[in-house]
Amino acid sequence: MQHIRNFCIIAHIDHGKSTLADRLLETTSTISERDRQDQVLDDMDIERERGITIKSHAIQMDYVQDGTRYTFNLIDTPGHVDFSYEVSRSIAACEGALLLVDCTQGIQAQTISNLYLAIEHDLEIIPIVNKIDMDGAMIEETKDQIVDLIGCDPGSIIEASGRTGIGVDAILRAIVERIPAPKGDPDSPLQALIFDSVFNSYRGVVAYFRIYNGTLKKGDKVKFIHTKKEYEADEVGILRMEYEPRAEVKAGDVGYIITGIKQAKEIKVGDTITHTSMSSASVQGFQDVKPMVFAGIYPIDNDDYEDLRESLEKLQLNDASLVYEPESSVALGFGFRCGFLGMLHLEIVQERLEREFDQTVIITVPNVSYNCFTTSGEKIVVHNPTDLPDPSYIEYVEEPYIRAQIITKPDYIGAIMKLCMDKRGTLKNQVYLTTTRVEMVFDMPLAEIVFDFYDKLKSISRGYASFDYEITDFRQSDLVKMDVKLNGENVDAFSALIHRTKAYDFGSRLCKKLKDLLPRQQFMIAIQAAIGAKIIARETISAMRKDVTAKCYGGDITRKRKLLEKQKKGKKKMRQIGTVEVPQQAFLAVLKLNED
């Protein structure tokens, strides 16, 4: 165990984590020349296309220093705020972290957030200034920022370039010298934390674990403490570019176990594996996932409901931060209410369902969860606007607030302040980290940042501002439920909980958008946005009309009027019994409404 080192890489988006991981794998000869490619650990198409890490990836490397062979377990982590749950899982399985800062951009919000997570778990931090070969590199400035942030010795900061490989040897030496070896007793009862899992069509569920105490051998009878299920270890091994089976995996090591589990719900990330003969306590310090954004996911064809359920189960294995439960909608039939960590997470889940499971789905308007207090003193947690009780029974409604941390250049302070104020934010603090970087802290409602806040922030700051947030509390707010009616019928998929001051603007924009998207019918369609019984916006789609008077040549006007009256009666009857089909792009357009 003295020769094992478990570490992760933490950084903001685009600071070069995946590129540095590629260089570490090449320097330690973990990947062959033939397998060499950019972002080698990012194995999803979406990750490669977007250039972002979505999943944390574990891999083992061998490194020889002064004649001694060391085993490195690297867990690469995502940088986007929506995937911070992946980061927390990686940190729970490590003793050290490489803190990577891009010296062309300096320290950014997500770097600080992930750093605090690592410090909470008492991880040894190795600060690295990356991209020193770039033209706009501010090496000394970035070093000063790191010293201010973690109070380390400037001499301990390593200068590196993931692209060219400068400083990689120094990083490997620092991992050996600075990161402590894992503690644990190979002879104690087995105690292993599951930090990730994937589904394999042929072998069932593969669970990735980190052993704290004990030894796990092939053929052992094991028990999962949380689910209380017992299995036999068909195969155990370590994680290289491919799975490498081993006869046993000992304390301090990271590996995988295959037990032939076919049901996705039988395994839970964060669970502890132990032997059935001598069980031990579960591993502490692993945080539960807290979804921030809720949306309904429905199959386009109701016959695909069961396929969608299976797809979500398998996807949840690989993405433990996805939470879902069944629900039904009048307009859309049967589907699932899903909880996501943010809008990017929602987008990625939709894309993965389409690519990996061939499931084309409709997603309803995303919203956050609210606390509703009734006149009888009862508290109801509202995930969906349709769950909100009648207004006459509501005492007040509370919405979640966040503490938003924005780091930017001083030039953009005014524009960012206006954006946050428009989103009902209040400035709490403003600190100059250096002469060219300022940190602003706002209190804001979570509902206001769910849609397009991040994109707008990037636009007005020309990509310089970085953003991170954490939930603080729930506060009383003047929220109303806005319904959309088509010919007097409520379409629950378009319902939204919205602040009273924004309801009229949102309602009129939504009606205009739907007018453009809904196909014309033989009868007139009224699109209305309503708060309770009060209509706040309306658009009308006129009916397609046949020229019934075309065959009247001359004669009395009463002949034409008779034909028009007959048509009018028919249209009226049609409107009473006619139904309005809502095309899929109308549901998708509501998601994009705030981007206009």
Side-chain angles (χ1 to χ4, degrees):
M1 279 177 69
Q2 290 309 308
H3 300 142
I4 296 175
R5 300 288 183 272
N6 298 322
F7 65 96
C8 59
I9 306 177
I10 52 177
H12 192 78
I13 317 157
D14 273 349
H15 279 211
K17 292 179 300 301
S18 300
T19 312
L20 180 67
D22 292 348
R23 296 298 88 74
L24 293 174
L25 294 173
E26 285 166 17
T27 309
T28 56
S29 306
T30 307
I31 50 172
S32 62
E33 195 72 45
R34 193 181 59 179
D35 295 329
R36 194 168 290 185
Q37 57 176 341
D38 287 344
Q39 283 178 265
V40 71
L41 290 181
D42 294 347
D43 48 14
M44 270 189 262
D45 294 345
I46 309 175
E47 290 182 312
R48 296 186 167 283
E49 284 167 24
R50 295 185 177 221
I52 57 172
T53 303
I54 293 165
K55 286 286 304 160
S56 48
H57 300 269
I59 192 162
Q60 191 173 97
M61 303 177 268
D62 289 327
Y63 174 64
V64 179
Q65 184 178 318
D66 304 331
T68 308
R69 179 183 288 274
Y70 291 91
T71 301
F72 289 173
N73 289 308
L74 159 67
I75 303 176
D76 182 26
T77 63
H80 196 281
V81 63
D82 277 15
F83 304 111
S84 52
Y85 184 64
E86 293 281 334
V87 182
S88 76
R89 288 160 45 186
S90 306
I91 284 172
C94 296
E95 277 82 33
L98 306 183
L99 174 69
L100 205 60
V101 182
D102 176 351
C103 65
T104 61
Q105 298 180 50
I107 283 180
Q108 297 198 290
Q110 195 60 35
T111 317
I112 298 174
S113 167
N114 291 341
L115 173 68
Y116 288 157
L117 262 179
I119 291 171
E120 272 174 38
H121 282 78
D122 291 334
L123 264 59
E124 181 63 40
I125 310 289
I126 299 177
I128 300 165
V129 174
N130 195 24
K131 303 191 185 180
I132 58 165
D133 58 319
M134 300 282 276
D135 292 341
M138 307 173 291
I139 301 170
E140 293 309 316
E141 244 181 85
T142 310
K143 280 187 173 182
D144 291 342
Q145 288 175 24
I146 295 173
V147 171
D148 287 345
L149 183 64
I150 59 175
C152 64
D153 173 27
S156 67
I157 301 171
I158 300 169
E159 294 180 17
S161 163
R163 192 164 60 95
T164 59
I166 301 167
V168 171
D169 289 330
I171 293 169
L172 291 166
R173 276 198 304 277
I175 291 167
V176 170
E177 290 158 14
R178 296 196 219 167
I179 294 177
K183 296 179 175 66
D185 181 0
D187 302 320
S188 293
L190 177 66
Q191 195 182 29
L193 169 76
I194 299 175
F195 66 85
D196 205 354
S197 57
V198 291
F199 187 81
N200 183 306
S201 317
Y202 305 104
R203 313 205 59 185
V205 180
V206 183
Y208 298 167
F209 59 77
R210 150 78 200 272
I211 300 186
Y212 285 88
N213 287 303
T215 303
L216 180 57
K217 297 178 182 170
K218 184 181 175 180
D220 278 355
K221 296 271 191 293
V222 294
K223 180 170 81 176
F224 291 10
I225 291 177
H226 178 81
T227 55
K228 299 185 172 56
K229 301 265 184 176
E230 297 185 3
Y231 306 96
E232 185 175 316
D234 296 341
E235 181 178 309
V236 296
I238 58 164
L239 298 156
R240 294 284 174 128
M241 287 307 289
E242 305 288 335
Y243 296 141
E244 273 192 22
R246 294 283 161 94
E248 61 176 27
V249 185
K250 294 189 169 180
D253 223 332
V254 172
Y256 71 91
I257 179 171
I258 298 173
T259 55
I261 301 174
K262 291 287 188 284
Q263 290 294 318
K265 56 180 171 285
E266 288 183 28
I267 196 163
K268 180 176 164 63
V269 170
D271 204 348
T272 304
I273 306 173
T274 183
H275 282 129
T276 49
S277 51
M278 34 180 201
S279 59
S280 61
S282 59
V283 179
Q284 297 302 311
F286 192 88
Q287 70 176 45
D288 265 340
V289 61
K290 293 194 286 282
M292 303 299 175
V293 175
F294 294 86
I297 290 188
Y298 293 86
I300 286 180
D301 186 346
N302 263 332
D303 295 345
D304 297 337
Y305 175 73
E306 282 303 322
D307 293 343
L308 181 59
R309 182 200 293 275
E310 278 177 35
S311 305
L312 282 169
E313 268 183 23
K314 288 174 185 170
L315 188 58
Q316 193 181 36
L317 264 180
N318 197 232
D319 181 356
S321 50
L322 174 66
V323 177
Y324 67 92
E325 59 184 40
E327 74 163 5
S328 63
S329 151
V330 179
L332 301 170
F334 291 104
F336 296 93
R337 184 92 195 136
C338 300
F340 307 94
L341 296 180
M343 283 300 278
L344 178 66
H345 187 204
L346 183 151
E347 217 175 295
I348 296 295
V349 166
Q350 184 182 4
E351 213 162 311
R352 286 185 72 183
L353 279 170
E354 206 154 301
R355 290 185 186 203
E356 295 172 30
F357 303 100
D358 203 19
Q359 291 286 330
T360 309
V361 293
I362 294 172
I363 293 189
T364 61
V365 184
N367 62 306
V368 300
S369 57
Y370 301 89
N371 290 338
C372 173
F373 292 85
T374 61
T375 46
S376 59
E378 187 188 353
K379 176 185 169 185
I380 302 169
V381 178
V382 178
H383 294 317
N384 191 334
T386 50
D387 299 342
L388 199 71
D390 188 273
S392 57
Y393 296 115
I394 297 173
E395 186 71 39
Y396 61 92
V397 180
E398 289 182 339
E399 65 176 330
Y401 263 70
I402 58 160
R403 176 68 48 90
Q405 178 192 38
I406 298 168
I407 297 177
T408 182
K409 289 188 167 184
D411 317 9
Y412 309 116
I413 288 175
I416 290 171
M417 213 171 265
K418 182 180 183 307
L419 173 68
C420 293
M421 299 295 187
D422 288 347
K423 299 282 186 185
R424 296 192 283 135
T426 49
L427 182 65
K428 286 290 168 191
N429 198 3
Q430 186 173 322
V431 184
Y432 277 83
L433 303 173
T434 66
T435 50
T436 56
R437 300 179 74 71
V438 62
E439 178 190 29
M440 303 160 79
V441 178
F442 289 89
D443 269 0
M444 296 169 72
L446 177 63
E448 293 287 347
I449 67 151
V450 159
F451 273 106
D452 58 340
F453 179 79
Y454 192 65
D455 296 341
K456 281 187 174 167
L457 179 70
K458 283 288 178 196
S459 304
I460 61 175
S461 66
R462 297 187 190 161
Y464 278 109
S466 61
F467 170 69
D468 186 49
Y469 66 88
E470 59 175 353
I471 296 282
T472 48
D473 55 2
F474 279 78
R475 299 183 196 173
Q476 198 170 326
S477 195
D478 185 13
L479 296 166
V480 290
K481 178 186 167 193
M482 193 191 79
D483 291 311
V484 171
K485 298 171 184 282
L486 295 180
N487 275 352
E489 293 277 325
N490 274 355
V491 182
D492 53 0
F494 289 133
S495 295
L497 273 174
I498 193 160
H499 198 264
R500 196 181 291 277
T501 56
K502 306 221 166 181
Y504 173 75
D505 177 52
F506 184 73
S508 56
R509 280 166 59 207
L510 181 53
C511 288
K512 282 191 181 110
K513 193 86 170 177
L514 286 175
K515 184 182 177 183
D516 295 340
L517 290 164
L518 293 178
R520 284 176 72 188
Q521 304 280 359
Q522 293 281 352
F523 53 91
M524 186 181 78
I525 303 171
I527 306 165
Q528 297 167 311
I531 296 171
K534 184 182 177 188
I535 306 296
I536 58 166
R538 172 178 171 134
E539 294 288 336
T540 307
I541 300 177
S542 53
M544 291 195 289
R545 301 178 77 101
K546 183 182 175 188
D547 187 2
V548 288
T549 60
K551 59 179 181 276
C552 290
Y553 296 102
D556 192 359
I557 186 68
T558 53
R559 290 182 62 203
K560 287 188 177 180
R561 195 167 288 147
K562 186 177 154 192
L563 288 168
L564 289 168
E565 284 297 322
K566 192 177 171 188
Q567 185 188 38
K568 194 173 166 186
K569 272 186 191 168
K571 295 280 180 202
K572 192 176 176 185
K573 190 175 179 187
M574 228 185 230
R575 190 176 172 194
Q576 285 166 354
I577 60 168
T579 54
V580 183
E581 285 290 314
V582 182
Q584 192 197 349
Q585 65 258 38
F587 294 106
L588 299 177
V590 178
L591 302 187
K592 304 275 185 256
L593 195 64
N594 282 36
E595 293 170 19
D596 297 350

